[in-house]
Amino acid sequence: MSRIGKKPIAIPAGVTVTCENSVVTVKGAKGTLVRELDPAITCKIEGAEIVMVCPENANGDVQAKHGLYRALVANMVKGVHDGFTRNLIINGVGYKAAVQGDKLVLNIGYSHPVEVVAPKGIKFECPTQTEIVVSGFDKELVGQTAANIKAKRPVEPYHAYGVRYKEETVILKEGKKAGK
């Protein structure tokens, strides 16, 4: 049995959770998230906690999903209550970012500015010209949007020019050495 799957999920004040027909709906101040679970795993609401129940005679595949669905539902509860953010850094000569309405405009070394339209539920912020903050209530969507922005200009290994996550460490390669 999954140790993670056995842990109950606390429901904070202001968040409502409904579980019916293997569909979990979580509503909070930031939005509403819906996820369909595997029919073998049941969701029970006991007071101010959600408990994911896996059958005792379940095979390995269902046991693996037990912890997975518990983590996904916990992320849904945290997202509608607190939200998620992902920070990106732009490094390069003349590289910069700006927010125009719901679009993020990137000048990252191409002959044209690159525009990224924010999906529904995602908000872009630029505290400085070289920082981007992607925020929203759906953890998967925040992570995928940040990855799509990062893919516009991957970090090159010699000067570290490009877009990277704030906590990411870039290992630089050694350049060419001059002859004798």
Side-chain angles (χ1 to χ4, degrees):
M1 296 297 280
S2 170
R3 283 181 275 170
I4 293 173
K6 290 179 182 178
K7 294 169 80 175
I9 303 164
I11 303 173
V15 175
T16 59
V17 179
T18 58
C19 300
E20 50 188 49
N21 298 334
S22 70
V23 175
V24 178
T25 305
V26 181
K27 294 180 184 176
K30 298 201 180 270
T32 303
L33 293 172
V34 178
R35 179 169 303 275
E36 188 172 348
L37 305 178
D38 190 304
I41 297 172
T42 57
C43 173
K44 293 182 182 177
I45 299 172
E46 298 174 355
E49 292 183 334
I50 306 167
V51 179
M52 307 302 276
V53 180
C54 181
E56 291 294 327
N57 59 355
N59 62 11
D61 187 40
V62 174
Q63 287 180 350
K65 289 180 182 177
H66 184 215
L68 168 74
Y69 285 127
R70 188 264 176 210
L72 292 174
V73 172
N75 285 337
M76 290 168 62
V77 170
K78 183 181 177 197
V80 297
H81 188 258
D82 299 328
F84 292 99
T85 60
R86 195 68 201 221
N87 298 320
L88 297 150
I89 301 289
I90 300 173
N91 185 22
V93 177
Y95 288 17
K96 61 182 177 178
V99 177
Q100 295 177 353
D102 67 338
K103 288 192 288 188
L104 178 67
V105 179
L106 302 168
N107 292 325
I108 48 177
Y110 295 116
S111 62
H112 58 283
V114 177
E115 294 183 352
V116 180
V117 179
K120 186 178 179 184
I122 296 294
K123 183 181 172 195
F124 294 132
E125 295 175 32
C126 289
T128 65
Q129 288 186 343
T130 60
E131 292 182 41
I132 303 167
V133 178
V134 181
S135 59
F137 59 89
D138 187 354
K139 186 173 185 176
E140 291 177 40
L141 189 58
V142 168
Q144 187 61 51
T145 304
N148 291 344
I149 293 169
K150 186 179 177 222
K152 300 292 182 192
R153 177 63 86 175
V155 177
E156 59 91 26
Y158 293 100
H159 299 105
Y161 291 164
V163 182
R164 64 177 174 88
Y165 297 120
K166 189 172 187 175
E167 65 276 358
E168 181 179 3
T169 303
V170 178
I171 298 172
L172 297 178
K173 289 184 178 179
E174 190 174 345
K176 292 183 180 178
K177 294 185 179 179
K180 292 185 178 182

